[in-house]
Amino acid sequence: MEQITAPRDGAAPNPPDAQGGGRSARALVECLDAIPGVGPTGAKIILAEIGTDMSRFPTPEHLVSWAKLCARTTQSGPKNTAGPTGKGNSWLKGALGEAASAAARTDTFLGARYRRIVKRRGHSKALVAVARSILVIAWHLLNDPDTP
């Protein structure tokens, strides 16, 4: 966890306010652990894969698109159909999938979202939707240090 705060090129570490709002990696893991379905290991994987510097992703939609968890539409003539989301980061998608599966069994907003979507779209698409919601929550928690 200590290596997360250092830059990849081996240069001197960035100032504390440049990454994660001056919070340590352990504090960020505890913050992500508060999301329903995300445990300490899942929080470490999420943090390791997306990093602490959210300036790369100006909005949560940019992060979701980078992780390939956004909806994709395939159009041929007047017909629009849903397509696969894409490959993306397999380690991040795996951790978010496990977290979404755990969150689906809770009595929280994420569990209610899963139950609402599974009725009309099915199990797999509902899990991807919940995983996307978890990633959006993680972006907000990492981007703003004052977000509870």
Side-chain angles (χ1 to χ4, degrees):
M1 294 307 301
E2 287 77 20
Q3 293 177 354
I4 288 178
T5 58
R8 291 180 186 244
D9 60 359
N14 291 339
D17 57 348
Q19 293 182 347
R23 296 181 287 178
S24 69
R26 295 199 190 280
L28 292 172
V29 166
E30 290 175 9
C31 189
L32 292 177
D33 188 23
I35 302 172
V38 178
T41 305
K44 289 176 184 176
I45 293 171
I46 291 170
L47 193 60
E49 294 301 326
I50 64 175
T52 58
D53 184 18
M54 290 293 110
S55 65
R56 297 186 297 165
F57 308 110
T59 63
E61 288 77 22
H62 283 87
L63 175 59
V64 168
S65 178
W66 175 80
K68 300 288 190 231
L69 285 173
C70 54
R72 183 172 154 198
T73 304
T74 305
Q75 181 179 2
S76 177
K79 181 179 178 183
N80 290 326
T81 59
T85 57
K87 298 213 186 271
N89 187 326
S90 60
W91 295 101
L92 179 60
K93 286 177 90 170
L96 290 172
E98 286 185 21
S101 182
R105 295 186 297 268
T106 63
D107 190 27
T108 60
F109 165 77
L110 295 172
R113 180 172 174 79
Y114 170 81
R115 288 185 290 279
R116 186 176 60 245
I117 295 172
V118 77
K119 292 180 204 174
R120 56 186 159 85
R121 302 293 290 174
H123 174 72
S124 297
K125 290 186 181 184
L127 282 182
V128 171
V130 172
R132 180 193 182 283
S133 296
I134 290 173
L135 193 56
V136 168
I137 293 169
W139 183 88
H140 283 287
L141 290 174
L142 294 174
N143 191 44
D144 185 13
D146 298 328
T147 304

